[in-house]
Amino acid sequence: NCHQFAAHALNLMAYDGRRSWNMVHLAALMLLKGTWVDTWSAAKCWLPFAAAITTCAALGWWGAVGGVLGTFAVLVAYFSLYSFGVASPAQKVFATPLLSQPREREMKNVSSAQ
């Protein structure tokens, strides 16, 4: 998962003074604080979805609208539960090592390469 990989990289860098990044944090930040390159990019992303939902609602196909929104809710709940409840950072594939000094890992890699 690209979000998990990016969170792992941020944890290794101790970005913004934190080592607790996960895929839910990243997705929420992108949704709430992200910006589009331009208006056309936002339209290309959201216009097909908005058109489909509007068409279904206009035709009275509330089951389709409910199915899409329900699937979205289930996925958000699953990823939130997994990230904050089930998975412990020590057991993740991309577990971030807890080092006392941020440069300690770099020094280990340099000495092992020589």
Side-chain angles (χ1 to χ4, degrees):
N1 177 328
C2 64
H3 289 85
Q4 184 63 33
F5 182 79
H8 176 63
L10 292 172
N11 285 333
L12 288 176
M13 292 184 285
Y15 183 78
D16 203 23
R18 294 176 40 190
R19 287 185 177 263
S20 60
W21 294 98
N22 65 34
M23 61 185 160
V24 175
H25 289 140
L26 292 178
L29 283 173
M30 286 189 297
L31 181 65
L32 300 175
K33 293 189 177 185
T35 59
W36 293 97
V37 175
D38 58 17
T39 306
W40 179 237
S41 297
K44 287 190 295 186
C45 179
W46 291 105
L47 196 58
F49 173 74
I53 292 296
T54 303
T55 302
C56 288
L59 295 175
W61 297 344
W62 294 107
V65 174
V68 169
L69 297 178
T71 301
F72 175 74
V74 167
L75 289 173
V76 167
Y78 168 76
F79 281 114
S80 297
L81 178 67
Y82 175 79
S83 292
F84 296 114
V86 176
S88 71
Q91 295 174 345
K92 290 183 181 176
V93 174
F94 292 115
T96 303
L98 299 175
L99 302 174
S100 58
Q101 298 292 329
R103 305 237 347 131
E104 185 178 329
R105 183 174 175 88
E106 293 175 26
M107 297 311 238
K108 285 181 184 178
N109 290 339
V110 170
S111 63
S112 65
Q114 294 175 351

